Amino acid sequence: MKYRDKKARCAIMIATLACCLAFPVAGAAQPPFDAARWAPASEYARPSSDPSRGPVLAGKSNLLYWASSSPNFGAEFSLAQRWSVEVGVGWNTWDLARHASLRHWLVLPEARYWFCRTFEGHFVGVHALYGMYDLGNWHWPDGREIYDHVYNGWCVGAGLSYGYHFPLGKRWGLELSVSVGYVYLKYDKYRCEGCREYVGSHDRHYVGPTKAAVNLVYMIH
């Protein structure tokens, strides 16, 4: 009988201790609940819209290209901390003064490596280009043949780029770049704009500057 009473008292003491641990005494100071300790790590990861992670997309336009009365726009996408890809397009569909023509359309994709991170500081790139053109009747002192003839054809090429991005604020920037490379040109040659007298078909291989840009950039985080 005494053994049973002793066993019962031990059970009561254990139950009382468990209740104290589960329900602390009212008014006692308790440590604050740390949600981050118990929640999954994914719930407390920084959202993709966090500005500290940098822009993920940029829209841009080349001011030098606009100087030739050619609208142009580009978009650049961040692929990783130091890698991005850009696609630019430009076109011109009208005649200029004295029947001069710069009609064309052009597509310029480019892959870039940034030395710091995307949209910051120095970068190098590899670009390609493809387009079609119908141009001529230009008054160039060292190229009278261009004034007397019109060239209609297409071109394809590739090259290397170097540039630098200057921040102008949280979302705006100015980007300077220059590119050199190779371009293959295939075209039909005509004499004078009005009569379009066919002269012949030709092709040329060009090595030299392929692009110069002063881009106004708007970044999206």
Side-chain angles (χ1 to χ4, degrees), residues 54-210:
V56 296
L57 172 65
K60 59 183 63 179
S61 189
N62 187 348
L63 303 182
L64 291 181
Y65 206 169
W66 278 98
S68 67
S69 73
S70 301
N72 66 94
F73 300 97
E76 186 171 359
F77 305 87
S78 176
L79 302 180
Q81 184 177 7
R82 296 187 178 185
W83 289 94
S84 66
V85 61
E86 176 192 86
V87 179
V89 295
W91 67 94
N92 189 309
T93 59
W94 44 83
D95 291 331
L96 304 179
R98 299 184 180 181
H99 301 289
S101 171
L102 194 60
R103 292 187 294 268
H104 71 279
W105 61 264
L106 191 64
V107 179
L108 299 105
E110 180 172 290
R112 292 179 170 180
Y113 175 80
W114 297 77
F115 291 95
C116 181
R117 67 175 182 175
T118 52
F119 307 108
E120 288 188 12
H122 301 271
F123 67 86
V124 292
V126 178
H127 73 274
L129 63 89
Y130 178 79
M132 302 187 72
Y133 54 88
D134 185 82
L135 53 89
N137 285 346
W138 283 92
H139 294 267
W140 290 353
D142 58 346
R144 184 172 180 78
E145 185 182 10
I146 294 180
Y147 168 68
D148 294 333
H149 295 79
V150 176
Y151 301 83
N152 179 276
W154 56 274
C155 63
V156 62
L160 302 175
S161 303
Y162 167 77
Y164 190 89
H165 180 98
F166 298 89
L168 299 179
K170 182 179 178 181
R171 296 187 179 274
W172 291 95
L174 186 68
E175 179 185 286
L176 308 180
S177 68
V178 62
S179 306
V180 295
Y182 164 79
V183 181
Y184 173 75
L185 302 103
K186 180 71 175 179
Y187 57 89
D188 295 329
K189 184 176 179 181
Y190 299 89
R191 184 175 289 110
C192 83
E193 173 67 21
C195 59
R196 286 271 176 163
E197 179 184 346
Y198 179 74
V199 175
S201 296
H202 305 271
D203 58 359
R204 288 194 177 183
H205 303 272
Y206 167 82
V207 177
T210 53

